[in-house]
Amino acid sequence: MTGISDKPREPGYVEKGTALLAWFVFNLTTLTVNKVVLFKLQFSYPLALTATHMLTCYIMCFLVIKVFKRVPAQPQSQEHILKFILPLSVIFCVNICLGNVSLNYIPISFFQTIKSSVPVFTVLIQALFMKKNFTLKIYLSLIPIVGGLGLASFTEVNFNMTGFTCAVLSSALTAAQAVIMTMLLNTGMNRMGPLNLLYYMAPLSFALLVPVIAYLEIGPIYSVWMQKNDISAFGPLVFSGLLAFGLNYSSFVVSSLLSTLTMTVSGNAKAVINIIFSVLIFGNTITPLNWVGCFIAIAGVMWYQTIVLAQSKQ
């Protein structure tokens, strides 16, 4: 039986669209289920939740690559793992942890509004560290993104500084992760397919989390949460892990098919959908000025996207 190729190739519009749609769906469902786990199940242990995601991702990758051999394995040298994959795993792990911690304090709608700042960090990282030049129009398009985010934050009914700070840091790490991941997936002799990259990153991230969880969360999980719940409560945790696998894989696929800037901008299109659905599902309060700030930020992203697309055709 022929395996499914995991190596990057020239994508078509249908392939790009399908990957983006899967990314949108998995993002919305993962955020929603994570919020249910954290609040409805009262599993308020974001690091353990992240570790569950990482372990599930590794098991799924192992099954696909090693057991069913649906994707060819891409062995990596120890030097390449230490130089590229390990640093990316640290960013990947911390980013997800910050996102889960943030969701423990603020609504999904506010979290998604803050995540609209990712293009700002993407431009800053590429300009400062990669010496990439951007036009004045690109920098001007970032102003409404920052301004809209500021207005939404100032008028947020459920504002929490810990949740806000974690979400901002998560946005910065998302941008850094996108830049590094695009380079790793698309350039160099050791370029990797998305599933193989997740296969190497997930266990490293899990290993990084274990000692922290053992120190901070394992005691309360055993002494508090497990005393209140039976084995059926683990079902949503496993389901959350499977959704996380779908989200991470689709995110990696999108990274391999699209440029860094296009990916970060596309991420803001799904933000509006996530905000609307989170309000409908969880009923959190959003003031008129919240909506104004949110859509100013999204309008800035659309302007930014228009400039990027116009410049890519020149």
Side-chain angles (χ1 to χ4, degrees):
M1 184 178 293
T2 303
I4 301 173
S5 174
D6 195 37
K7 294 183 179 180
R9 58 184 176 79
E10 187 63 31
Y13 289 110
V14 174
E15 188 174 1
K16 288 181 179 180
T18 302
L20 279 173
L21 178 61
W23 186 38
F24 283 17
V25 171
F26 277 118
N27 186 274
L28 175 61
T29 53
T30 301
L31 281 173
T32 302
V33 172
N34 283 354
K35 196 73 172 178
V36 169
V37 169
L38 290 168
F39 281 90
K40 301 297 184 180
L41 284 181
Q42 296 182 332
F43 190 81
S44 54
Y45 311 103
L47 300 182
L49 180 61
T50 304
T52 302
H53 292 173
M54 296 300 98
L55 182 59
T56 307
C57 286
Y58 175 69
I59 292 172
M60 294 299 296
C61 290
F62 181 83
L63 290 173
V64 173
I65 296 173
K66 297 294 185 179
V67 178
F68 299 110
K69 301 185 185 301
R70 296 297 297 168
V71 170
Q74 294 177 289
Q76 301 296 311
S77 66
Q78 183 177 5
E79 179 185 2
H80 190 249
I81 291 174
L82 293 176
K83 187 176 181 181
F84 295 103
I85 300 178
L86 180 58
L88 185 57
S89 298
V90 173
I91 294 175
F92 178 64
C93 175
V94 175
N95 183 17
I96 295 176
C97 285
L98 287 170
N100 286 335
V101 170
S102 180
L103 287 174
N104 214 16
Y105 292 96
I106 61 176
I108 292 177
S109 55
F110 187 37
F111 176 78
Q112 282 296 323
T113 303
I114 296 171
K115 294 291 281 189
S116 67
S117 63
V118 170
V120 177
F121 290 109
T122 301
V123 170
L124 291 177
I125 289 170
Q126 291 184 318
L128 294 175
F129 298 103
M130 301 175 67
K131 306 304 180 183
K132 186 171 182 177
N133 295 320
F134 292 96
T135 64
L136 178 61
K137 288 183 178 180
I138 288 287
Y139 288 111
L140 290 176
S141 70
L142 302 180
I143 295 176
I145 298 176
V146 176
L149 175 58
L151 178 61
S153 301
F154 183 74
T155 58
E156 173 59 42
V157 174
N158 300 299
F159 183 87
N160 177 278
M161 182 55 72
T162 300
F164 173 78
T165 303
C166 287
V168 171
L169 292 175
S170 176
S171 297
L173 288 179
T174 298
Q177 178 181 312
V179 171
I180 299 173
M181 194 181 300
T182 300
M183 294 169 58
L184 192 58
L185 288 168
N186 295 327
T187 62
M189 295 179 61
N190 292 312
R191 65 181 183 177
M192 304 172 65
L195 205 63
N196 273 275
L197 181 56
L198 185 58
Y199 172 76
Y200 281 97
M201 286 177 56
L204 289 173
S205 298
F206 178 79
L208 291 168
L209 283 170
V210 168
V212 184
I213 293 171
Y215 180 72
L216 295 176
E217 294 184 346
I218 198 67
I221 290 175
Y222 276 109
S223 62
V224 180
W225 188 79
M226 292 187 68
Q227 300 302 317
K228 297 180 180 179
N229 298 276
D230 56 28
I231 194 170
S232 63
F234 287 93
L237 287 176
V238 174
F239 182 55
S240 175
L242 292 173
L243 288 175
F245 168 72
L247 173 60
N248 288 318
Y249 179 54
S250 62
S251 175
F252 286 15
V253 170
V254 169
S255 293
S256 70
L257 297 180
L258 304 175
S259 69
T260 300
L261 293 178
T262 303
M263 180 181 175
T264 53
V265 170
S266 299
N268 288 277
K270 64 178 173 53
V272 177
I273 300 174
N274 288 345
I275 290 170
I276 293 173
F277 270 87
S278 72
V279 173
L280 294 175
I281 294 171
F282 295 102
N284 51 283
T285 303
I286 296 186
T287 66
L289 284 178
N290 273 145
W291 283 114
V292 171
C294 173
F295 284 107
I296 287 176
I298 298 301
V301 169
M302 293 175 64
W303 181 24
Y304 170 83
Q305 182 181 29
T306 302
I307 296 170
V308 169
L309 291 175
Q311 292 179 351
S312 66
K313 295 178 181 179
Q314 294 178 354

